[in-house]
Amino acid sequence: MSNVIESNLRHCDDLAIEDWAILVGARPAATLPLRLESGAAATSNTPDLSSPQLNASHDNGTVSLEPDMQTASIEDDARGDRRQPLGGWAKRLLDLMVASTALILASPILVLIPLLIKATTGGPVLFVHRRIGFNGKAFDCYKFRTMVPNAEEVLERHLSCNPQAAQEWAANQKLKCDPRILFLGNMLRKSSLDELPQLFNILRGDMSCVGPRPVVADELQRYGAASYEYLKTRPGLTGLWQINGRNMTEYSHRVLLDTQYVRTWSLRRDLSILMRTIPAIMKFDQTS
């Protein structure tokens, strides 16, 4: 039994990543190891989940699964590639309908925003970032560019000079006062218009209209044992986090909301979240 579980964990840790690019051209496929490593950075914000299935220890860089989760892991490993994302065809059909309709309605904005970005800042229109999706597959997640071109350099310099900002970044992977964000970018973020290109991610099948927000590989460590729940579904353009405070909530609460969403999913809940998203994004004080 232990050999099967260890094999399954290695399978989750070394998932092969198949990379496509739409809008920006194709690139070779790559393999991205997902490691649930120990350390304060990985565990300090992992929530204390009450369910016995989500209790985990991080000894020697491994996650110890409880019996119920072990059984589920073995069954998932046996199914292999036949494993379907949360919601199956019904959720996928809803995604296609909503994303197609939204693209048609938002087409004037999708033309205007790139023109404004080029006119005010120059440089590329899209920001393409690798995120982790269903079953650990990495994909290119699209957003309108809202930051300066040398964003990584600016962030590193800012964190090295501001211990408080470094602490905030370590806790939430976000900054309330982010020196990288441009004036136009700030308006796009406040209105969530920067995420409109992710409608193409939904059509491609990388994302869903509703689900946990897509995370990078290192960020997935913050989910601890709850990463098992995250990997069951496609990441979402919106979700429980977006309609429950967004950046006003701690990261641990975000993990709890994502876990709750996966465990209690229903098509009716997806529709409810979609309807509540519009008034939620109008609360500009809750966005970054």
Side-chain angles (χ1 to χ4, degrees):
M1 178 70 72
S2 61
N3 290 335
V4 177
I5 296 172
E6 291 175 1
S7 175
N8 180 56
L9 291 175
R10 287 195 299 270
H11 172 70
C12 291
D13 284 348
D14 300 319
L15 292 167
I17 308 306
E18 188 174 354
D19 179 25
W20 295 278
I22 188 170
L23 305 176
V24 295
R27 296 204 303 270
T31 298
L32 179 64
L34 304 180
R35 297 189 180 93
L36 297 176
E37 299 176 347
S38 60
T43 59
S44 60
N45 288 280
T46 300
D48 181 13
L49 300 174
S50 58
S51 171
Q53 292 187 359
L54 292 179
N55 292 330
S57 62
H58 296 266
D59 297 331
N60 300 319
T62 62
V63 175
S64 176
L65 302 179
E66 292 297 323
D68 290 345
M69 187 178 285
Q70 291 174 351
T71 302
S73 299
I74 295 171
E75 292 175 352
D76 286 339
D77 187 56
R79 286 195 295 268
D81 293 337
R82 293 178 297 170
R83 178 181 174 185
Q84 294 297 312
L86 181 74
W89 66 266
K91 184 174 176 64
R92 181 62 181 148
L93 181 60
L94 176 65
D95 289 341
L96 292 174
M97 292 174 59
V98 172
S100 299
T101 303
L103 279 172
I104 294 173
L105 296 176
S107 55
I109 301 177
L110 288 169
V111 173
L112 177 61
I113 291 177
L115 294 176
L116 290 175
I117 293 175
K118 280 293 186 180
T120 58
T121 67
V125 169
L126 291 179
F127 173 70
V128 184
H129 206 203
R130 298 289 282 175
R131 299 297 174 106
I132 304 301
F134 166 67
N135 221 20
K137 181 190 292 185
F139 66 94
D140 284 336
C141 183
Y142 300 111
K143 298 179 71 173
F144 283 125
R145 185 172 63 87
T146 60
M147 296 184 178
V148 295
N150 60 333
E152 294 298 326
E153 179 183 341
V154 172
L155 175 64
E156 183 178 352
R157 184 167 60 248
H158 180 69
L159 297 182
S160 64
C161 298
N162 297 272
Q164 187 174 357
Q167 185 178 3
E168 181 185 355
W169 178 262
N172 301 311
Q173 295 293 296
K174 290 181 180 290
L175 296 174
K176 291 182 179 180
C177 297
D178 197 325
R180 301 171 295 170
I181 301 177
L182 300 163
F183 176 75
L184 175 61
N186 186 54
M187 291 191 293
L188 293 176
R189 284 177 169 235
K190 290 290 186 182
S191 60
S192 295
L193 292 176
D194 62 315
E195 296 175 357
L196 282 179
Q198 289 170 26
L199 291 170
F200 291 103
N201 284 118
I202 295 173
L203 292 181
R204 287 174 45 182
D206 298 327
M207 294 178 60
S208 176
C209 289
V210 184
R213 283 299 294 161
V215 299
V216 299
D218 290 340
E219 196 176 355
L220 188 60
Q221 298 178 44
R222 294 174 175 268
Y223 279 69
S227 61
Y228 179 78
E229 308 290 340
Y230 174 91
L231 296 173
K232 286 182 178 180
T233 186
R234 294 184 178 99
L237 181 60
T238 186
L240 286 180
W241 180 59
Q242 278 77 6
I243 62 175
N244 284 280
R246 302 182 72 175
N247 294 329
M248 302 299 292
T249 64
E250 295 182 355
Y251 202 97
S252 58
H253 185 59
R254 169 179 169 175
V255 174
L256 284 171
L257 290 173
D258 289 345
T259 304
Q260 176 190 351
Y261 170 77
V262 173
R263 290 182 170 181
T264 62
W265 176 85
S266 70
L267 200 60
R268 181 178 179 180
R269 167 165 279 198
D270 272 10
L271 290 170
S272 174
I273 292 173
L274 285 171
M275 295 184 66
R276 294 170 60 188
T277 295
I278 295 179
I281 63 177
M282 299 302 292
K283 299 177 180 178
F284 301 132
D285 59 321
Q286 294 183 0
T287 57
S288 57

